[in-house]
Amino acid sequence: MNKVILLGRLTKDPEIRYSQSAEPICVARYTVAVDRRFKKEGEPDADFINCVSFRRTAEFVERYIKKGMMVSVCGSLTVRSYDDNTGQRRWITEVSAEEVNFAESRAAYEARMAKSGGGYSAQAPPTAEPEGFSAITQSIDEDDDLPF
């Protein structure tokens, strides 16, 4: 099974191209910054995953997805190769995204972008609760009502 699920922020606006075929196909290329679960000193805090979408998914990305947006991406891992200008074989690993969804509200995105001046920082923690979510104020250890 080849299934990839990512949750992260776009590092820049997607690159959009159309194929030169009789019926042009929309192709969107973008990079998603995914925070690492465990951080070691001196190592990056995020992985930058290259993604590509085609047809309707690419048209959705072109129309609605912008730099800094939190998105979820579902697809498969693709490895391909090509020969560069010097004749050397190059390999590319990317996620072929079949689904791209918003992972934050538009209001939360716009407020964060306005506050940061339009920039994105992978290390900037959210200053407020994301819209629609609330903090867990009670630890499971404190719950005496559990039957086990």
Side-chain angles (χ1 to χ4, degrees):
M1 174 183 287
N2 184 355
K3 183 77 170 179
V4 175
I5 302 171
L6 304 172
L7 180 64
R9 296 191 186 281
L10 259 66
T11 60
K12 62 182 179 178
D13 288 339
E15 287 182 22
I16 307 298
R17 300 188 196 274
Y18 286 86
S19 68
Q20 300 297 320
S21 60
E23 290 184 39
I25 296 171
C26 186
V27 179
R29 294 189 180 281
Y30 46 97
T31 302
V32 178
V34 179
D35 287 334
R36 288 192 176 172
R37 187 175 215 163
F38 302 104
K39 298 172 176 117
K40 292 183 181 177
E41 194 172 320
E43 289 189 11
D45 292 342
D47 292 309
F48 298 90
I49 313 295
N50 294 324
C51 300
V52 61
S53 298
F54 301 96
R55 296 180 179 79
R56 305 284 278 163
T57 306
E59 291 169 1
F60 172 81
V61 168
E62 175 184 26
R63 188 169 295 138
Y64 299 109
I65 305 299
K66 303 289 180 232
K67 174 185 176 179
M69 282 188 166
M70 174 78 76
V71 295
S72 67
V73 176
C74 299
S76 58
L77 197 62
T78 304
V79 179
R80 59 186 174 88
S81 66
Y82 69 95
D83 293 329
D84 67 10
N85 295 339
T86 64
Q88 188 174 5
R89 171 84 50 183
R90 301 284 181 180
W91 294 88
I92 296 174
T93 302
E94 60 192 1
V95 173
S96 293
E98 297 153 8
E99 293 178 40
V100 178
N101 297 293
F102 298 109
E104 72 180 337
S105 71
R106 183 176 185 169
Y109 166 74
E110 289 174 351
R112 188 175 36 74
M113 293 305 282
K115 190 175 217 176
S116 68
Y120 166 68
S121 171
Q123 298 177 13
T127 57
E129 306 274 328
E131 185 176 308
F133 294 90
S134 60
I136 298 174
T137 58
Q138 181 178 354
S139 170
I140 292 177
D141 296 335
E142 297 173 10
D143 193 353
D144 296 329
D145 296 339
L146 293 175
F148 49 89

